[in-house]
Amino acid sequence: MGFITKNVPLHQTDIAFYLPTQIKFGLGIVEKLGLELQIEPDLAGCGRVVLVTDQGVASAGLVEKVEAGLADSPYEIKAIFDAVPSDSDLNTVRELTQIIQRHEANLIIALGGGSVMDTAKAGSLIAAHGGEVRDYEGGFMVPGPCIPIVTIPTTTGTGSEVSLGLVIKDREARSKITVVSPFLFPRLAVLDPEMVKTLPPKLVAWTGMDALTHAIEVYVSTEHAPISEALAFRVVEMIFDNLEAAVKNSDSLDARAKMQLAATMAGMAMSNAGLGATHAINHTVGAMFGVHHGLGNAVALPEVMKYNLETCPERFASLARAMGVTQTDLSDEELGQLAIERVRGLRQVLGIPERYSDLGVPTDDATIEAIAEGAMNDPMLAFNPRKTELRDMKPLVAKTLRNGAEG
Ligand SMILES: [Fe+2]
């Protein structure tokens, strides 16, 4: 009994789990999107649609699939905004907001990855309540409902399709703004494996590693609880069983479909348990140097796991079980070390480098200082299991940057 978790006492006795986003999964479901929307009473009258996407998704022909799915339905696409960059920013949100307001949209469809979905959430928020994204920075600052959003994810990692958060870049300040509010939960997430069929392998790998980071950070978070743990365990198992196949065998729709589901399940969990130091560091690296979010998480994750291991070895031991480790003669610390090795192994198989320096991030002391300070100010650090001060953060950041950094 308790082979995975050892049946430890509850970590907390007050547990709230929010899951307002409805999920519809199915191969080809986008082809009947109009029907799927019409059967939802609160969406039946939301016929003025703005579609938010990016150039890559548009050139892959996925916009046409959504248009076909809405043909002969009461849902009219009033405008298509396909200018979301890979790392969306405040100017992009301003542009989108004007379009939403000009067309008096009452439904926003976000077709894309995390940047597209977060931009759609920000546009929905500002169109409904005015001001700038920074006015709502932090937790629970959104005053009321926003324009409903339907998400159609085209990557396999973000989780934003079911999450209550958005992250938008402030290019001038070289920082990222995080907004968290129950009013940002999308109304509906439509998961169609057809939408990830043509996703380039490297993006499957990078976004898949983002989903893995979500699950691992959720599992060791200060806010972990059995509901989020259950999701995190299944996500870890599905990713270790399917990510490599989803990347290397683009014909494996089953593997990609399971990665799509795993990403969404991780998003459900992270909305309720928070994340940790990997995201805190990586948000800063992404804001300063433009490193892809999933790729950057994959770089930092093993070092952060190693840093956190001494705080909660039993939790990392449980993660090792979810990754397939079956030995029974090892200590929690040894099992936790194996979990870290498995993550490193997966990363290597996917061709992802070990350090930020391999991605062009400078390794000088001033850069380490700047990243460490940014990470200390990131709201996700609050959920990291090991209490972290700036003097702890600097050597940790150094290890993610360069080989042989001293702790
Ligand atoms: Fe993430």
Side-chain angles (χ1 to χ4, degrees), residues 18-29:
Y18 295 89
L19 190 56
T21 304
Q22 185 180 3
I23 298 165
K24 295 191 180 196
F25 170 89
L27 186 63
I29 193 173

Side-chain angles (χ1 to χ4, degrees), residues 88-353:
S88 192
D89 54 34
L90 294 175
N91 282 337
T92 309
V93 172
R94 289 184 195 115
E95 276 182 59
L96 173 61
T97 303
Q98 285 179 2
I99 290 169
I100 294 169
Q101 290 174 328
R102 191 185 318 140
H103 292 282
E104 298 179 348
N106 53 14
L107 184 65
I108 298 169
I109 296 180
L111 173 70
S115 188
V116 164
M117 291 191 269
D118 285 7
T119 303
K121 288 176 182 177
S124 158
L125 162 62
I126 304 303
H129 299 291
E132 292 277 352
V133 176
R134 204 173 274 290
D135 299 338
Y136 306 95
E137 187 171 13
F140 304 96
M141 298 295 286
V142 178
C146 306
I147 299 167
I149 298 174
V150 172
T151 53
I152 307 175
T154 61
T155 65
T156 55
T158 169
S160 183
E161 63 273 16
V162 290
S163 86
L164 79 173
L166 67 84
V167 181
I168 293 289
K169 193 168 188 171
D170 181 340
R171 290 194 192 277
E172 287 169 16
R174 295 180 87 202
S175 65
K176 291 196 174 182
I177 304 168
T178 301
V179 181
V180 174
S181 165
F183 293 116
L184 292 180
F185 277 114
R187 165 64 182 81
L188 171 65
V190 177
L191 309 186
D192 184 344
E194 289 283 353
M195 298 291 117
V196 296
K197 204 170 162 182
T198 58
L199 186 65
K202 76 172 185 187
L203 289 179
V204 177
W206 296 354
T207 59
M209 288 302 287
D210 187 26
L212 179 65
T213 308
H214 296 160
I216 290 174
E217 295 215 294
V218 158
Y219 191 74
V220 301
S221 151
T222 55
E223 293 295 311
H224 69 79
I227 305 172
S228 55
E229 286 170 2
L231 288 163
F233 269 139
R234 186 71 176 109
V235 168
V236 169
E237 186 180 56
M238 287 168 86
I239 289 176
F240 271 83
D241 281 345
N242 294 285
L243 180 52
E244 186 180 353
V247 171
K248 295 187 173 175
N249 180 4
S250 56
D251 293 336
S252 179
L253 198 56
D254 182 71
R256 289 193 170 204
K258 283 188 275 194
M259 283 305 304
Q260 194 178 36
L261 280 165
T264 297
M265 291 158 64
M268 292 154 60
M270 77 177 173
S271 281
N272 290 276
L275 293 168
T278 309
H279 273 78
I281 293 169
N282 189 49
H283 281 156
T284 310
V285 172
M288 291 176 69
F289 302 105
V291 173
H292 182 278
H293 177 73
L295 174 62
N297 275 334
V299 168
L301 178 62
E303 284 304 333
V304 174
M305 290 172 75
K306 199 170 146 194
Y307 170 77
N308 284 330
L309 179 58
E310 68 178 45
T311 307
C312 47
E314 72 289 351
R315 302 201 67 71
F316 286 99
S318 299
L319 283 170
R321 299 288 185 220
M323 294 173 194
V325 175
T326 54
Q327 286 109 304
T328 54
D329 57 346
L330 301 177
S331 67
D332 285 348
E333 286 79 5
E334 288 169 324
L335 285 167
Q337 195 58 47
L338 282 182
I340 296 167
E341 292 308 317
R342 294 231 167 175
V343 172
R344 284 196 176 120
L346 180 60
R347 184 176 67 177
Q348 189 177 18
V349 161
L350 300 177
I352 293 172

